[in-house]
Amino acid sequence: MKICVPIKADNMKDFLVKFAQAQNNEKVDLIEIWLDQIEDLNIEEIFKFKSKPLIGVMKEPKEFGKFVGSRSKKIAILTKFVEFGGDFVDASLSEDFEYFNGLKKEYKFQIIGSFHDFIRTPSLQELEEIIKHRIYFDCDIIKIATMIQQDSDL
């Protein structure tokens, strides 16, 4: 079992405090950084203090993130994250999977093919299709997060 701590912060100052706490906690194995949350993001600064594997996340408001830019801007930020030594990139779109699989030829990192539905839990058939889709695009890890409304969702 691995413990992953997500970090959301409005600015680099607050982020670095939370980041230091997570890095110094021996129970924490991985750190998930919500890059979209940090208004004055400085990726280079993050990697000056890296001692544990890092997951880069760029989520839009529909996934409770704050990113509202173009796809190319999102890709550029995550690419920089990988170039500086990010260990994982959390992606949810087919075109992102294709791009990051190409980038894996130059850099060592893994793709987390994620799916989020914060309203309901899709049917088993829908979940199987989501998984097949991520397998087709060679995601290294598949992550599914849904909202459980009733016992039959389990």
Side-chain angles (χ1 to χ4, degrees), residues 37-68:
Q37 306 283 316
I38 307 168
E39 291 179 17
D40 57 342
L41 179 63
N42 183 334
I43 291 177
E44 187 174 353
E45 186 75 11
I46 292 169
F47 284 91
K48 287 180 182 177
F49 304 102
K50 177 187 184 233
S51 65
K52 295 186 180 192
L54 302 180
I55 302 169
V57 175
M58 291 286 294
K59 298 291 182 191
E60 297 175 13
K62 67 181 179 183
E63 294 181 305
F64 296 100
K66 291 186 178 179
F67 182 74
V68 289

Side-chain angles (χ1 to χ4, degrees), residues 82-93:
V82 166
E83 290 171 346
F84 273 95
D87 303 283
F88 302 89
V89 168
D90 185 304
S92 55
L93 301 174

